[in-house]
Amino acid sequence: MQSPLPVRDGVNATRLRLPEEGPWGTAMDYMMHRWGHIDPQGIEDRFDAGEIVGEAGIALDRATPLRNHTFIWYYRTLPPETRIPVELDILHQDEHLLVVDKPHFLPTTPGGTYIQESALVRLRNQLELPDLIPMHRLDRMTAGILLLSTNPETRGKYQVLFEKRQVQKEYECVAAAEPAAGHPAVDFPVVVRNRMTKSRSYLLAEVIDGEPNAETRIERLRTFDAGPAHAADDGTDGGSRRRALYRLAPHSGKTHQLRVHMASLGLGIVNDAFYPELLDKAPDDYAKPLQLLARGIRFDDPISGRAVEYRSGLQLSEAR
């Protein structure tokens, strides 16, 4: 459902579904029930200013009955955010697509404590493109190629490519050269297939029994010596340790799929705080980004008909 309110400061208006019945006589009563403990004066001011609207952009006031609207839209008060000390690189821009290198630590879209400090909002404001929409997502801790649509009229043509899996993605990661104790040796290249799920109430993705819905081809490109400093970080006595650079080609796009598949082989990605073991939450350490990079993306452009490929200019800091 399209918002009747335009994007403001790079952020979409928030949509709220009103209940069909309840002890609230007006829409404002219900909003006070939901958010009045946070900013009651702000809610009243928004109603008085006509900044809360229903379907077709009809402005609500303090007396608008609850039953008059199913959905309402409003602008949230954005809290101050500390700027994440990373920058986006624009690789390509035309009347249909924007291609950027997203750095580690920057989320793709607004959410939680990151609103202005998301790739989408930064780019909307920087380029003055309020209709900008990402065509896919990268985890906050993953860096690399991100495609965004700049034109609502042609957006659907690109969305179909992703829906039909007609986009080939290539990732790189750094992990141990050999599986951890308890895991069998791996004969590369290998294809990992399993069934993955992620619930809203559970932080991690997990593998469950059932028909496979996630598939990744994994190739070991080269091995190298991580060096004493890195080995000490891993809790060893400071001796050298072998690591490897891997190429990952996912055939599906489940949440945390690449991280889970690498960990399932006993090859957890370097600096992964989730897999194979969930670590205690700690402030971001910008010197230790997750060693996972969206290296490239390929597809047949539905507008020009030409085969196109975009490659990241970023490098994994642990890859030697």
Side-chain angles (χ1 to χ4, degrees), residues 249-270:
H251 185 62
S252 50
K254 296 299 180 182
T255 299
H256 294 176
Q257 174 179 320
L258 303 180
R259 298 160 71 173
V260 170
H261 282 180
M262 287 296 293
S264 73
L265 299 176
L267 299 168
I269 297 174
V270 172

Side-chain angles (χ1 to χ4, degrees), residues 283-300:
D284 289 338
D285 185 346
Y286 298 112
K288 294 183 178 181
L290 174 70
Q291 294 298 287
L292 179 61
L293 173 68
R295 171 58 70 194
I297 193 165
R298 300 184 302 276
F299 57 91
D300 291 335

Side-chain angles (χ1 to χ4, degrees), residues 174-175 177 222-227 241-245 318-320:
V174 175
R222 57 184 173 83
T223 60
F224 55 92
D225 187 349
R241 179 179 176 183
R242 300 293 289 172
R243 284 188 177 163
L245 179 67
E318 299 286 340
R320 297 187 175 189

Side-chain angles (χ1 to χ4, degrees), residues 180-299:
H183 292 266
V186 180
D187 185 17
F188 293 102
V190 64
V191 175
V192 179
R193 296 186 186 92
N194 52 32
R195 186 166 190 84
M196 291 180 54
T197 186
K198 184 176 185 295
S199 70
R200 293 182 180 274
S201 60
Y202 190 63
L203 181 62
L204 304 180
E206 58 181 340
V207 175
I208 60 174
D209 293 334
E211 184 72 19
N213 64 357
E215 177 179 317
T216 307
R217 183 181 188 277
I218 302 172
E219 177 184 359
R220 187 168 62 192
L221 299 178
R222 57 184 173 83
T223 60
F224 55 92
D225 187 349
H230 297 287
D233 290 341
D234 294 333
T236 69
D237 60 3
S240 65
R241 179 179 176 183
R242 300 293 289 172
R243 284 188 177 163
L245 179 67
Y246 296 87
R247 177 185 292 133
L248 314 175
H251 185 62
S252 50
K254 296 299 180 182
T255 299
H256 294 176
Q257 174 179 320
L258 303 180
R259 298 160 71 173
V260 170
H261 282 180
M262 287 296 293
S264 73
L265 299 176
L267 299 168
I269 297 174
V270 172
N271 298 333
D272 192 341
F274 281 17
Y275 309 97
E277 179 182 358
L278 178 63
L279 304 181
D280 291 338
K281 183 173 176 57
D284 289 338
D285 185 346
Y286 298 112
K288 294 183 178 181
L290 174 70
Q291 294 298 287
L292 179 61
L293 173 68
R295 171 58 70 194
I297 193 165
R298 300 184 302 276
F299 57 91

Side-chain angles (χ1 to χ4, degrees), residues 40-97:
Q41 187 60 54
I43 293 175
E44 292 179 349
D45 292 344
R46 286 184 177 82
F47 275 100
D48 292 342
E51 291 187 350
I52 298 179
V53 305
E55 292 86 347
I58 299 172
L60 282 63
D61 59 33
R62 296 189 185 206
T64 300
L66 180 71
R67 64 180 179 275
N68 280 20
H69 296 275
T70 302
F71 293 99
I72 60 176
W73 287 262
Y74 62 96
Y75 295 112
R76 288 175 291 174
T77 299
L78 300 180
E81 296 179 50
T82 301
R83 184 172 177 83
I84 299 174
V86 295
E87 301 298 332
L88 287 148
D89 289 331
I90 296 175
L91 305 179
H92 171 83
Q93 182 177 356
D94 60 33
E95 64 269 34
H96 306 292
L97 283 181

Side-chain angles (χ1 to χ4, degrees), residues 92 94-99 133-136 147-167 297 299-306 308 310:
H92 171 83
D94 60 33
E95 64 269 34
H96 306 292
L97 283 181
L98 175 70
V99 185
I133 292 292
M135 303 307 302
H136 61 112
L147 266 64
L148 303 99
S149 165
T150 60
N151 187 343
E153 295 183 2
T154 60
R155 183 169 299 152
K157 295 180 182 294
Y158 292 95
Q159 288 175 328
V160 167
L161 298 180
F162 285 90
E163 292 168 1
K164 293 186 176 181
R165 296 183 180 177
Q166 294 175 347
V167 176
I297 193 165
F299 57 91
D300 291 335
D301 190 283
I303 306 298
S304 69
R306 297 192 302 268
V308 296
Y310 300 103

